[in-house]
Structure formats: C-alpha cells, structure tokens
C-alpha cells in the first residue's frame, strides 16, 4: 500500500512540472499610465468620472502623458408600445481615448471603445427605482470601459509615436 501511495505522489509531481502560471509576467498587472498622466474628459457630464479617474490613473506625479477622453452618448428605443411609450431603451456610450506624449510631443495611441446597457423605464415622471438603476448602469459602464482601456494598454507600446 505504501508503494502505491508513493507512486501516486511521484506521478502527480511529475505531471505538474510543466504548469505555467497566468500571472507569470508582471506586464498584465501594471497600469503603464499610473501616476504618469494628466487626464481630462469631455462630452457628456458623468458624475462618476471624477471619482473613477484617480482610481485608475492615480495622481499625476511624472507628467509624461496627456490622456483626453471624449464621451458621446446615444439612446435608441428598442421597444415601443402601441401608445408610443418606450418600454426598452438602449444606451450606447462611446469613449474616444487619445494618449499624447509630453516628452516626444506626439500622439502615441488612439482608441474608441463602446459600452452598452439597456433600461426599461417604468414611468414618464420621476421614478427613483429607474433613476438609481440608470446611475448604477452608468457606473458599471464607466468602470468596465476604463478597465478595458487599461488592459489594452498593457499590450501596446505607448512610448512610440503612431
């Protein structure tokens, strides 16, 4: 019995020798723009941007890059009732990112990312449930879009002009 146990342990150890870890390289864990960028945004006024931008990019200490984010919103009625009331509304947020190098004085990266969410309005007047739901979906769309942008930057050479 002891020999069988030892052979199982040896087989297990030998089979695990070629295991590669997902986070073997640190490049996917590091935000290349953190504390190196001055961020500005324009377009629609989203209350959450001022609180999320420092979370993603930190305080600008090195002033190596300028990142401008232009946000455009469009609303599409996905479902209309017989009385012409909207029963499903789709929001599309387009984020246009432009990254400029202060050192080389050129644009190093440009990207357009789109986020979507849908809402079912419950009344034509003020409805706390619908309004707070929209705010939460805006928050989720912003964080998802910023996360995607930072993730994409890990695979891009941002030090060279495009």
């Amino acid at each position: 019995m002891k020999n069988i146990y030892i052979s199982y342990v040896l087989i297990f150890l030998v089979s695990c020798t070629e295991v590669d870890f997902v986070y073997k390289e640190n490049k996917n864990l590091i935000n290349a723009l953190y504390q190196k960028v001055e961020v500005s945004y324009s377009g629609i006024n989203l209350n959450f941007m001022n609180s999320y931008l420092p979370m993603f990019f930190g305080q600008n200490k090195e002033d190596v890059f300028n990142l401008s984010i232009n946000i455009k919103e469009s609303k599409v009625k996905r479902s209309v009732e017989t009385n012409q009331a909207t029963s499903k509304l789709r929001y599309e947020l387009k984020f246009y990112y432009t990254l400029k190098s202060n050192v080389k004085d050129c644009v190093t990266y440009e990207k357009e990312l789109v986020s979507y969410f849908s809402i079912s309005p419950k009344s034509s007047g003020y409805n706390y449930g619908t309004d707070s739901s929209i705010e939460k979906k805006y928050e989720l769309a912003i964080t998802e879009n910023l996360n995607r942008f930072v993730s994409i930057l890990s695979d891009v050479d941002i030090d060279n002009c495009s």
Side-chain angles (χ1 to χ4, degrees):
M1 182 70 177
K2 191 175 184 182
N3 290 336
I4 294 173
Y5 177 73
I6 292 173
S7 62
Y8 279 134
V9 170
L10 286 174
I11 290 171
F12 177 74
L13 290 175
V14 169
S15 67
C16 292
T17 58
E18 295 295 320
V19 173
D20 287 334
F21 294 100
V22 175
Y23 295 116
K24 184 177 173 182
E25 298 176 12
N26 287 338
K27 75 174 193 173
N28 291 333
L29 300 176
I30 298 172
N31 180 355
L33 296 178
Y34 194 75
Q35 294 185 345
K36 296 179 185 177
V37 65
E38 180 69 34
V39 182
S40 63
Y41 76 94
S42 61
I44 65 168
N45 186 14
L46 298 173
N47 299 331
F48 314 108
M49 287 297 285
N50 290 330
S51 60
Y52 284 115
L53 289 176
M55 200 168 62
F56 280 91
F57 301 109
Q59 297 296 324
N60 185 14
K61 293 182 179 177
E62 297 179 32
D63 200 31
V64 179
F65 297 101
N66 278 330
L67 176 65
S68 64
I69 306 170
N70 187 7
I71 306 165
K72 296 191 181 195
E73 175 187 55
S74 62
K75 299 175 188 176
V76 178
K77 295 178 183 179
R78 301 297 291 172
S79 179
V80 180
E81 301 293 326
T82 56
N83 64 355
Q84 298 302 308
T86 303
S87 63
K88 193 146 188 104
L89 193 59
R90 181 178 182 203
Y91 287 77
E92 178 180 282
L93 296 173
K94 289 185 180 181
F95 290 70
Y96 299 94
Y97 295 95
T98 305
L99 183 64
K100 296 178 183 174
S101 172
N102 292 337
V103 177
K104 296 183 179 181
D105 196 29
C106 64
V107 174
T108 59
Y109 188 69
E110 290 182 304
K111 184 72 175 172
E112 175 188 338
L113 295 175
V114 181
S115 294
Y116 303 97
F117 65 89
S118 295
I119 194 82
S120 298
K122 299 296 179 199
S123 71
S124 60
Y126 182 78
N127 184 343
Y128 178 75
T130 300
D131 292 342
S132 64
S133 175
I134 289 174
E135 287 180 11
K136 194 57 150 171
K137 290 190 178 196
Y138 270 118
E139 273 187 84
L140 291 172
I142 290 168
T143 55
E144 180 264 337
N145 204 293
L146 289 171
N147 274 324
R148 275 195 303 162
F149 178 70
V150 169
S151 175
I152 289 169
L153 282 181
S154 66
D155 294 329
V156 174
D157 183 15
I158 59 172
D159 292 323
N160 293 328
C161 298
S162 55

